[in-house]
Amino acid sequence: MSDQGVETISAREARRIALAAQGFTERRPDVAGKRHLLKTIERLGVLQIDSVNVVSRTHYLPLFSRLGAYPRPLLEEIAWGKKPALVEYWAHEASLLPPSTHPLLRWRMDDARAGVGTWKGIARFLRTHEDFIERVLAEIETRGPMPASELNLGAKGAQGWWGWSEGKRALECLFWVGDLTAATRRGTFERVYGVSDKVLPRAVRETPTPPREDAQRELIRIAARAQGVATERDLRDYFRMPVAETKARIAELVEAGELTPVEVTGWGLPAYLDPAARRPRKVAANALLSPFDNLIWFRERTERLFGTRIRLEIYTPAHKRVHGYYVLPFLQGEAITARVDLKAERKKGVLLVQSAHAEPGANDETPALLAGELRLMAGWLGLDRVEVQPKGDLAERLAAVLP
């Protein structure tokens, strides 16, 4: 205990608490079913969506990291099937969510309608194209769910907004404000937009809108459960909450005894413990982590937890990249011990390790344990083998333990 009576937690204990909260202390099932996926997503609270497919789209990967080689069509079924068990909205980023979370974000939809808390391009388009946006909404209401490619309204794409057409911009505006939602995904991951009042599950549509403060408190509770122990910034980032409101909601939860203030050695910032968080004495996980995995997506927290600086280099010019284009850190036990730049060469049936770098915590077991996860991933992706290119200080040892 500190002089103020606040419990002090070691950095190692905080890391174990965080790993347990994220599901890395549980044994992978022999065969993962729908129930396992839903339980994992409920634990995480949110599953970030990203379209980059050089290995696998990122929303598949956190489930693989925790459950192993689950059937990928199961996620597609619960997310975009005939009776989806998840919904889409802007949570951390574009995300898949349990349906019960959707009403907790209606305050964000209201903010977006007022041009607050959204992209500048969205806010500007909402302000300057009100009549056109209403026409697009009427079109979806009349014709039913459709992707942007089938909406023949407005000018075609040119510069800015990734070359989006005016119709696509209007659809995204309507998605932000909650009038439209994702009815499904089609083809190469194209979002199909439907009217929320017709597409969302009845339970969501019939849920009364909670007061803003109540909804934000519940989002903080979810973030606290998913992280175990966290700073104010960690809690705020999980659902990208406003600064002042996050601080107010945390204070209210502390006052109510639903968050426990603690000090974590070396963090240098006040932290908050979920009173129900598990405190394992050891973590023995082995997992490849998507760069968008909930455990590491907030880089500042990752550095505090693991002493490892993780940076996304997708948008870095190739000659300036340190570790590679799509780099997955390797969680070995309680440490990040390596990182590998991966690419799925689907036509060749190869999971290509374009570079492999060791981290300070790497040991003699790292190459073999990493190889095991790479083989598992290759099989899960329907690839025949793993190949290692001779780049990075771990590449030679990794290649030596792979057939």
Side-chain angles (χ1 to χ4, degrees), residues 134-144 146 151-153:
E134 286 297 321
R135 283 177 57 204
V136 170
L137 178 59
E139 187 80 357
I140 303 294
E141 288 175 332
T142 301
R143 294 177 54 190
M146 71 178 72
L151 182 71
N152 297 315
L153 293 175

Side-chain angles (χ1 to χ4, degrees), residues 231-294:
T231 67
E232 177 268 324
R233 288 185 215 170
D234 298 339
L235 294 170
R236 170 164 38 102
D237 177 76
Y238 210 77
F239 285 102
R240 299 289 167 86
M241 304 271 285
V243 176
E245 288 175 294
T246 298
K247 291 180 177 179
R249 302 295 85 80
I250 289 174
E252 292 157 4
L253 291 169
V254 169
E255 180 69 21
E258 296 185 63
L259 285 179
T260 303
V262 294
E263 293 179 0
V264 179
T265 304
W267 280 20
L269 293 166
Y272 303 91
L273 177 72
D274 169 21
R278 291 185 54 228
R279 301 190 182 199
R281 302 182 71 132
K282 183 180 180 181
V283 178
N286 290 304
L288 287 161
L289 302 173
S290 159
F292 303 103
D293 192 287
N294 304 49

Side-chain angles (χ1 to χ4, degrees), residues 54-55 321-328 339-345 350-357 374 386-395 398:
V54 66
V55 177
R321 291 179 193 139
V322 177
H323 294 101
Y325 179 79
Y326 200 81
V327 177
L328 281 73
R339 50 184 114 190
V340 284
D341 180 23
L342 299 183
K343 183 178 182 181
E345 296 275 10
V350 170
L351 180 60
L352 185 64
V353 182
Q354 300 185 111
S355 71
H357 293 86
L374 288 167
V386 181
E387 289 185 5
V388 182
Q389 292 186 336
K391 183 177 181 182
D393 58 4
L394 188 61
L398 180 60

